[in-house]
Amino acid sequence: MAEMEAAAGSGAGGSPEDGTGSTGSGWRRPHGPLQRYYGPSAAEAAPDPADINGPHFDPEVFLTKVRSECPLGQLLAREAALGREIRALDSDMQTLLYENYNKFISATDTIRKMKVDFRRMEAEMDDLAANMAAISTSSARVSAALQDRHRRGAQLAGTGGSWGGLGSLVEVPGRLRRWAAPGAEPARALRCHARARAVLRHYRHLPSFRAIEDESHAIMAELAQRLRARLRDETLDPKELTECVEMLLQLEEPPEELCEEFLSHAGARLEAELAALEAELPTADPSGAAATPPPASDILDFVDRGSSAFVGSLCLLAASYRSLFEGRPGAGDGRLEAFAATLTTRYFELLERRLALERGLGDTSLLVRALDRFHRRLRALLELLPAAGAEAGAALVARAARERVDRYLRALQTFFLGCLGDVRQALAAPRPPGKEGPGLPDLLATLASSILGQLKAVLAYVQLFTARDVAFASLPYFKGEFCVAAVREGLVVAFVRWLCRTARGFADGPAERGAPAAPPALLLLLARLCLDYEATTISYILTLTDEQFPPQDTGPAVTPGPALCAEARGAAQRLLDHYVQVQGAAVAQMLRKSVETRDWLGTVEPRNVRAVMKRVVEDITAIDVQVGQLFEEGVRRAQSSDSSRRAFSVYSSSRAPGRYAPSYTPSAPMDTHLLSNIQKLFSERIDIFSPVEFNKVSVLTGIIKISLKTLLECVRLRTLGRFGLQQVQVDGHYLQLYLWRFAADERVVQGLLDEVAASAAHRCLDPVPMEHSVVELICERG
């Protein structure tokens, strides 16, 4: 019931918190005049006849709504609430009426008092205006009476001042001689001479003043000679040089001569600073074979010395030159710009030589800080000399950054080769009994994570070149070309492509003489690595690179991700094909030797399966386990229920062994040849060296095809006796018993073995096959 009362109260009168209720202690109903003046609020714009506080309130609508929505208990509670609200409104109205009444009475008293006070103030202002007019009249009469006397006094004061100034000119030569003496204060002498020079020139037509002027000129000429001699002093620092030239300019010495001497003296000092920097660099051997190692100082120290000494002195020189010779004839014809360009070019060359010594990776943050300080000081110099090599300085920073990126690329390549060496060592390490080494999945995971971690670390180091607190990062090169051409294309894409080429080189490149061939397990591992790169790693690396080094819309073109993925997949395909060829060749070599080294005419009646066939099955089983560690199973064609018990015919395929077997007789060899040719016409063509798919079944099928095709070709070149044919029959049935489960389609194995049997029968001098039950017994026993 309490909740229903609250709901009814909120619907009709609102809550005290939002100011729409009527029971809160702090609530005040809006006054009618104020509401009419300011207008209704946005919430009151829409008329609501059920709003008891709104201007469009309709009692009948409100009562109808309350009766329809509230039960009797809520209606009674609402009636009591309305009563309380009415009483509260009456109390508020009385309080408001009382407060306004008191304020109206106070305002009436204040207005009555203001009327009395303003009448008194108007009378006083009239009296003040009359007094001011009288004062102005008296002041005008006094000024008119004293005007003539004031004019005569001013003339007498001017005449006295002139006589006093002319009298002080007599003391000028003595002061100049005292202040211009060696070791005295030449600046005071120059100021004194400057003040007296204009007056002496004005009155030089008088003999006495001409003598004073001549004596002053002689003293200042002697001072100029001493300043000239001091200007040629090589130990003069830049501040003393500037003061000396400034005093000579005040003595009206030729600006063009002073400009030459100023630049010559400053140039000698800057050349000495450049020579000190060059002394830290290695000196090349005249034969060009060796060089003296540089002092033990890092690139940051070198740049600091160059910036504080050479660049700082050049900035001070430019500022002094501008303050001394700006606007003077013969000194503003570009001499300073040409002078500074020559020195900055040499400084850039020295810095370029020092950067070339950073052959190792070292601390990239140190290099970035050094380049940042160089760029900041160069930017301060360019504010004074805009043509002092801005493009050359920016190009130097860009080349240093690109060179460091190239070194990181070579470091990544070296790291990958080192990881491959570790993998090869792990694959070739002997395995003591009971101690299994890391499997191929572990080696692959370690190799992939190591490469990816190293690449991430390199990107983090390279990202220092584009940090926000680095001044040269605002250059257009680092906002566009560096991110795309240097990092994305020159580092990431180049490394991925090199990795794919290097991996593919184990399959494509001819092996050097004496160089060990890549182990098959390494080919398989690299194929899986390239396939993983094609599936996920390349996309992840490119996304990470684009996030850390966002390319510009108008920047150079980028290599699309699908193109890189295609290269990785091509490398994986070539490696897997080569793995199949290597493993197939190894198995085929065993079969070839077993066929070529046996006397098939003089062999005895077979009683066992030859050991080489057992070795072939063992090797194929080991390859199956090896490939299964890295690749999925794959899809096999549905096998027949009697695959392991199929008859192995020496006359035809398993499709119709009973049809052609009775017709074979030793006196009809042509019939056997004919049957073999007919069999080939109706059998499916088997592509021995077709590309394999990325699954275990396809890989094993390719190896089996190569092995059995080799066996077939070797049998075709042999001449067999009766027991030789029977031995081939036993061996073929043994292979068929075990190899069909590794192939994607058992018919491939059956077809090749049928061809082997048919070729053996065709090459047999006494083709009498062994009973199939005997063959099965021998194979089961073997």
Side-chain angles (χ1 to χ4, degrees), residues 383-680:
E383 293 179 359
L384 296 172
L385 297 172
E391 296 181 358
L396 188 148
V397 175
R399 284 195 301 272
R402 184 58 185 264
E403 176 64 23
R404 180 52 61 96
V405 172
D406 293 341
R407 288 175 182 169
Y408 272 122
L409 174 60
R410 294 191 290 271
L412 283 174
Q413 294 171 353
T414 304
F415 180 79
F416 176 72
L417 294 178
C419 291
L420 282 187
D422 296 339
V423 170
R424 297 187 70 164
Q425 185 177 2
L427 293 174
R431 300 285 186 265
K435 292 185 178 180
E436 296 294 334
L440 290 182
D442 296 334
L443 291 176
L444 176 64
T446 302
L447 178 62
S449 61
S450 299
I451 296 172
L452 186 59
Q454 192 72 8
L455 183 58
K456 286 183 178 179
V458 167
L459 289 178
Y461 285 130
V462 175
Q463 197 176 14
L464 295 174
F465 287 98
T466 58
R468 294 183 178 179
D469 57 344
V470 176
F472 61 78
S474 60
L475 294 175
Y477 171 78
F478 286 94
K479 289 185 176 180
E481 187 177 352
F482 178 77
C483 294
V484 176
V487 180
R488 191 186 191 277
E489 299 297 317
L491 179 64
V492 177
V493 175
F495 174 69
V496 172
R497 283 180 166 168
W498 177 88
L499 185 146
C500 295
R501 288 196 306 269
T502 303
R504 187 166 185 158
F506 287 98
D508 291 341
E512 299 179 359
R513 290 185 178 180
L522 180 62
L523 298 175
L524 194 66
L525 188 144
L526 290 178
R528 181 74 252 185
L529 178 67
C530 293
L531 191 63
D532 291 343
Y533 265 66
E534 183 262 340
T536 57
T537 308
I538 289 178
S539 175
Y540 171 74
I541 290 174
L542 292 182
T543 302
L544 179 66
T545 304
D546 292 339
E547 289 176 356
Q548 296 183 358
F549 302 90
Q552 300 294 323
D553 297 335
T554 58
V558 299
T559 301
L564 278 183
C565 293
E567 293 185 22
R569 189 175 185 84
Q573 184 69 59
R574 182 68 187 93
L575 285 165
L576 199 59
D577 292 342
H578 188 63
Y579 173 80
V580 170
Q581 295 171 12
V582 170
Q583 295 288 53
V587 178
Q589 183 68 14
M590 290 191 301
L591 293 172
R592 179 183 293 109
K593 289 183 178 180
S594 70
V595 174
E596 293 177 350
T597 58
R598 188 178 182 87
D599 184 9
W600 294 95
L601 285 173
T603 185
V604 297
E605 184 178 359
R607 290 290 182 266
N608 293 299
V609 179
R610 289 192 298 155
V612 68
M613 298 302 167
K614 298 178 182 179
R615 177 68 182 277
V616 167
V617 173
E618 292 175 357
D619 288 354
I620 295 294
T621 305
I623 294 172
D624 178 77
V625 174
Q626 187 181 69
V627 177
Q629 295 180 20
L630 297 178
F631 290 91
E632 294 77 10
E633 181 69 24
V635 180
R636 300 176 186 270
R637 179 173 290 185
Q639 310 294 338
S640 61
S641 59
D642 60 341
S643 297
S644 62
R645 295 290 181 183
R646 296 187 62 172
F648 184 75
S649 173
V650 298
Y651 305 108
S652 63
S653 66
S654 60
R655 296 182 180 179
R659 178 179 179 184
Y660 297 107
S663 64
Y664 177 79
T665 59
S667 61
M670 292 303 295
D671 294 341
T672 305
H673 184 63
L674 178 61
L675 293 177
S676 177
N677 291 334
I678 293 174
Q679 170 193 346
K680 291 180 180 179

Side-chain angles (χ1 to χ4, degrees), residues 103-422:
K103 291 177 182 178
F104 287 150
I105 293 176
S106 176
T108 304
D109 295 340
T110 302
I111 292 172
R112 186 183 299 109
K113 185 178 180 181
M114 287 174 62
K115 288 181 179 179
V116 176
D117 292 341
F118 272 115
R119 291 193 188 97
R120 186 165 55 252
M121 287 177 63
E122 289 178 358
E124 291 177 357
M125 291 298 294
D126 292 339
D127 295 342
L128 180 61
N131 293 334
M132 290 298 295
I135 291 172
S136 299
T137 303
S138 301
S139 176
R141 286 198 301 269
V142 171
S143 297
L146 298 177
Q147 184 175 5
D148 293 339
R149 295 182 181 179
H150 177 72
R151 184 172 56 255
R152 289 196 299 271
Q155 290 176 355
L156 291 175
T159 304
S162 299
W163 279 108
L166 293 175
S168 63
L169 291 177
V170 179
E171 302 175 359
V172 167
R175 295 175 180 176
L176 293 179
R177 191 176 294 106
R178 183 171 65 253
W179 291 335
E185 303 177 72
R188 294 188 64 181
L190 288 172
R191 288 194 296 271
C192 179
H193 182 259
R195 288 193 299 268
R197 182 166 47 196
V199 180
L200 292 174
R201 287 180 180 177
H202 183 72
Y203 294 103
R204 68 175 301 165
H205 58 282
L206 301 175
S208 58
F209 287 101
R210 186 182 304 112
I212 295 174
E213 183 183 18
D214 293 341
E215 186 176 0
S216 300
H217 281 331
I219 297 172
M220 300 312 291
E222 184 180 355
L223 176 62
Q225 290 180 359
R226 288 200 302 271
L227 291 175
R228 286 274 191 179
R230 186 184 179 191
L231 189 62
R232 291 187 289 271
D233 187 4
E234 296 181 355
T235 61
L236 208 62
D237 59 30
K239 183 179 180 181
E240 294 174 344
L241 174 65
T242 303
E243 294 176 352
C244 184
V245 173
E246 184 178 8
M247 287 187 289
L248 287 173
L249 289 173
Q250 292 178 8
L251 291 173
E252 297 182 348
E253 293 291 319
E256 57 275 9
E257 296 181 7
L258 293 177
C259 173
E260 291 293 339
E261 294 184 11
F262 180 81
L263 292 179
S264 176
H265 189 282
R269 188 177 186 86
L270 292 173
E271 288 287 349
E273 293 172 353
L274 290 177
L277 290 176
E278 189 174 10
E280 300 184 15
L281 300 177
T283 56
D285 194 10
S287 62
T292 303
S297 61
D298 54 37
I299 183 64
L300 184 60
D301 292 338
F302 185 86
V303 173
D304 279 341
R305 282 191 292 273
S307 299
S308 60
F310 172 75
V311 180
S313 299
L314 188 57
C315 290
L316 182 60
L317 164 68
S320 301
Y321 186 92
R322 292 284 175 81
S323 64
L324 291 174
F325 301 104
E326 189 74 30
R328 296 183 182 273
D333 52 355
R335 295 183 184 180
L336 177 63
E337 286 74 11
F339 172 79
T342 303
L343 292 174
T344 52
T345 300
R346 187 179 171 193
Y347 174 61
F348 292 161
E349 292 175 354
L350 295 177
L351 184 57
E352 191 91 35
R353 289 171 54 188
R354 181 61 184 84
L355 289 172
L357 299 177
E358 298 290 313
R359 295 186 178 88
L361 294 178
D363 188 0
T364 301
S365 62
L366 197 68
L367 175 64
V368 173
R369 288 166 56 195
L371 294 176
D372 181 47
R373 293 186 184 181
F374 163 75
H375 181 75
R376 291 178 186 274
R377 295 306 298 266
L378 182 63
R379 190 166 56 182
L381 177 62
L382 294 177
E383 293 179 359
L384 296 172
L385 297 172
E391 296 181 358
L396 188 148
V397 175
R399 284 195 301 272
R402 184 58 185 264
E403 176 64 23
R404 180 52 61 96
V405 172
D406 293 341
R407 288 175 182 169
Y408 272 122
L409 174 60
R410 294 191 290 271
L412 283 174
Q413 294 171 353
T414 304
F415 180 79
F416 176 72
L417 294 178
C419 291
L420 282 187
D422 296 339

